[in-house]
Amino acid sequence: MGLLSTSDRLSFGSLKPVILRGAPDVDASSVLDSELRLTLSKTEKITSIAVCLKSTSKSFWPEGLGQRAKQVTHDEVLHTQTLTLIEEKTMLDAGEHHWPFTFIIPNSTIDTIETQFGRVKHTIEATVTRGGKTLLQPEWKLAKPILILRSYMSDALLVSNSIRDLSHTFERHLTAGDVSVMVEYTAFSSGDLYNVQFVIQPQQKECRLENIKVAVTETRQYRVDELGAWRKETKTYPLSYAYATPLGDADSLCHAYIEEDDMLRVFEKGAGGLPLVDTFAYRVAFATPTCQENFHHSTHYRAIHIRHHLHIDVTLSHVDLALAAASDTPPLSSTPSSPPSGSLSPPLNQPNHAQQQQPSWPSVVARLRKGKKHLDKHRVSEKVQLEMPMIVFDCRLKEDYSHLPSYFETGLVEAPFTTIMPAGNTHGAIDQQRRRRRHHAYLCPCYHEFRRQMEQANAALAATVPTIPPPDYVEKPDPK
């Protein structure tokens, strides 16, 4: 063998991302196991070999820290674990050597955080110390990042008989109608589809659903307690409308008159709203923001604390009949107005045929057509505002680690009925493909890289399992 560089000499086996299940106060732990590989071109005297798992935090402060504001970063070592693979001087022959190792990662470990002004990363470092003088025989070092994520479902919840329901139902009674909103789960992964059920029962004539707005507010707090530094950022991410599924029979009256263009007007502000002639009952899917939009997952770390809140606004309107009737009544005048000078007026004892003329049918039809616009002037708006805390998982934690998708969301199974009555002016196959893509979550490059690491680690683990079963046991006869 020729001369080998440090990266050629030292290498790790498959490093599988670690998934912490449950909150930091849950008494649980995860395992990180791999192996260290050392390739030697000649016989070497090795003094020690150690593997260290280090967790560090780093925050950025462009405005400066300290009294003179000269420090722009703050670093902190959160946790360190060290395993010694070789403690005594050992002569290693030329070739490839393997040392397996295992780290126990408690649930209190802070998961990986990647934001603009704060990061928490985990690295695994290997150090090989050779015999002799340090200047002549420098150490061999290798460091690799480790991804540590956190999901909601823990082992304690799986065996518990009283699992907390992630759904929430809100009911509000307004003059225009009764509003019921059901949030199916208070946790989602960024880029996933999020479902909310809306049931609106109108109680007034000329009731109209003006607008439905769903948004997530992300609050990021950075702090360094020993230096008295503190910063807070808040950003609101609106959830875009994806599709809607009727709740109940698709042929009922409440869905027969609603087309896709009508549904789109509900989620666009100032688009005119949707008149309600019967119960509005739909399960609406929204596209959540992605990591490409600088959207992050919820954290439990005090120095980099990120939390989320869900906001749902439902606006209804109805016509105030009292105001409409008052506006239609002509004002009473105590004294008759005198005609202008120079005009001809009929005698007092002769009726005015121009004032007593009956209205014609065209004027009646025109008045009916203008009735709706006339009633819109007397509309009264009512708004329902809901807010609740949310848990946002990392964009990599989809499918098994956040919630199981329905067969309809996977796109492999057709829906039992159409989500919305198709509009008359369809835009062909391109528009149909665009609608079909709405049923899928957004898979970012982070997710594909995460799946590749998981598949490589699983393949390496499967290679170590023997595929040939052991031979059958044969009972030998007792020699007598």
Side-chain angles (χ1 to χ4, degrees):
M1 295 184 182
L3 296 177
L4 298 176
S5 61
T6 303
S7 59
D8 295 332
R9 292 190 183 97
L10 280 177
S11 63
F12 290 106
S14 59
L15 297 174
K16 186 177 181 179
V18 179
I19 309 297
L20 302 177
R21 300 183 179 274
D25 55 354
V26 175
D27 187 11
S29 59
S30 301
V31 176
L32 170 63
D33 52 354
S34 184
E35 64 176 6
L36 177 65
R37 301 167 184 172
L38 175 62
T39 303
L40 300 177
S41 59
K42 62 179 182 178
T43 303
E44 292 279 358
K45 180 189 293 186
I46 303 301
T47 303
S48 66
I49 297 179
V51 179
C52 176
L53 177 62
K54 182 184 295 185
S55 303
T56 58
S57 171
K58 186 174 185 177
S59 57
F60 302 89
W61 302 85
E63 64 275 14
L65 293 173
Q67 296 180 353
R68 297 184 179 181
K70 291 185 177 181
Q71 183 179 352
V72 294
T73 61
H74 181 265
D75 301 307
E76 182 181 359
V77 178
L78 303 176
H79 185 69
T80 302
Q81 293 188 50
T82 303
L83 296 177
T84 303
L85 305 181
I86 292 181
E87 298 180 358
E88 301 177 352
K89 294 182 180 180
T90 306
M91 296 296 297
L92 298 180
D93 298 332
E96 188 173 357
H97 304 268
H98 300 260
W99 292 274
F101 59 87
T102 301
F103 286 100
I104 304 299
I105 302 178
N107 240 38
S108 58
T109 304
I110 301 172
D111 47 323
T112 302
I113 303 175
E114 301 170 348
T115 65
Q116 182 180 5
F117 296 105
R119 300 173 186 172
V120 173
K121 66 177 182 179
H122 309 271
T123 56
I124 182 169
E125 302 176 356
T127 304
V128 178
T129 305
R130 296 182 291 171
K133 296 183 179 180
T134 307
L135 297 178
L136 299 179
Q137 301 288 341
E139 296 178 342
W140 295 334
K141 293 185 177 182
L142 178 65
K144 291 290 184 180
I146 295 295
L147 188 62
I148 298 180
L149 305 177
R150 186 181 302 276
S151 67
Y152 168 77
M153 191 62 67
S154 62
D155 296 337
L157 291 176
L158 293 177
V159 299
S160 177
N161 295 326
S162 59
I163 299 179
R164 184 173 67 91
D165 189 8
L166 292 180
S167 63
H168 286 267
T169 303
F170 304 91
E171 294 183 357
R172 298 291 186 272
H173 302 283
L174 306 178
T175 305
D178 300 331
V179 179
S180 176
V181 179
M182 178 181 177
V183 178
E184 295 186 358
Y185 37 83
T186 58
F188 65 88
S189 175
S190 59
D192 210 343
L193 294 180
Y194 190 71
N195 299 314
V196 182
Q197 297 183 14
F198 296 93
V199 178
I200 302 175
Q201 177 65 46
Q203 300 294 339
Q204 296 287 337
K205 293 183 178 180
E206 300 294 336
C207 180
R208 188 166 65 191
L209 176 59
E210 297 290 347
N211 180 253
I212 295 179
K213 180 182 178 182
V214 181
V216 175
T217 300
E218 178 178 284
T219 304
R220 299 183 289 266
Q221 293 182 356
Y222 305 91
R223 64 178 67 201
V224 181
D225 294 335
E226 56 268 24
L227 298 178
W230 183 82
R231 184 199 298 123
K232 181 178 180 181
E233 300 174 349
T234 302
K235 186 175 181 180
T236 300
Y237 298 85
L239 304 188
S240 59
Y241 167 75
Y243 61 88
T245 305
L247 297 176
D249 189 7
D251 297 331
S252 61
L253 178 61
C254 59
H255 313 306
Y257 70 96
I258 298 180
E259 298 180 353
E260 183 176 7
D261 295 338
D262 299 329
M263 186 63 71
L264 291 175
R265 289 203 307 267
V266 175
F267 301 96
E268 296 180 3
K269 188 175 181 181
L274 176 66
L276 298 181
V277 298
D278 202 346
T279 303
F280 177 91
Y282 281 89
R283 181 175 184 258
V284 183
F286 297 92
T288 58
T290 65
C291 60
Q292 307 296 323
E293 305 174 28
N294 200 24
F295 188 70
H296 310 89
H297 63 88
S298 304
T299 65
H300 300 83
Y301 183 36
R302 176 178 172 83
I304 308 174
H305 190 203
I306 303 176
R307 63 180 187 271
H308 299 84
H309 286 81
L310 178 68
H311 302 269
I312 301 177
D313 296 343
V314 180
T315 304
L316 298 178
S317 68
H318 68 282
V319 176
D320 192 339
L321 299 179
L323 293 177
S327 63
D328 293 339
T329 304
L332 299 178
S333 55
S334 56
T335 57
S337 58
S338 58
S341 59
S343 62
L344 299 177
S345 59
L348 296 178
N349 56 356
Q350 184 177 358
N352 191 346
H353 297 283
Q355 297 179 359
Q356 296 181 1
Q357 184 178 3
Q358 297 296 331
S360 60
W361 281 110
S363 62
V364 173
V365 174
R367 187 179 303 174
L368 291 176
R369 290 178 179 177
K370 296 180 180 179
K372 183 175 294 187
K373 296 183 179 180
H374 176 69
L375 293 177
D376 287 344
K377 300 179 181 179
H378 308 288
R379 282 194 171 273
V380 178
S381 298
E382 296 177 297
K383 179 179 290 187
V384 175
Q385 295 181 334
L386 306 176
E387 181 180 356
M388 58 183 302
M390 296 290 298
I391 300 176
V392 177
F393 297 134
D394 192 89
C395 59
R396 306 170 182 90
L397 293 181
K398 290 182 174 66
E399 298 177 356
D400 297 342
Y401 301 106
S402 58
H403 69 280
L404 295 178
S406 63
Y407 294 104
F408 172 61
E409 292 174 348
T410 59
L412 302 177
V413 179
E414 294 294 335
F417 44 81
T418 56
T419 57
I420 294 295
M421 293 290 293
N425 50 351
T426 57
H427 299 282
I430 298 178
D431 187 70
Q432 294 179 2
Q433 294 177 3
R434 179 175 58 86
R435 293 199 201 104
R436 193 176 298 114
R437 286 197 298 268
R438 292 175 178 175
H439 301 278
H440 300 273
Y442 175 77
L443 302 181
C444 58
C446 311
Y447 174 79
H448 291 293
E449 177 64 21
F450 170 75
R451 298 305 303 175
R452 186 188 64 82
Q453 296 178 3
M454 297 290 290
E455 292 174 359
Q456 290 181 353
N458 294 334
L461 179 61
T464 60
V465 178
T467 57
I468 302 177
D472 297 335
Y473 292 100
V474 178
E475 295 183 1
K476 296 182 178 180
D478 295 337
K480 291 184 179 178

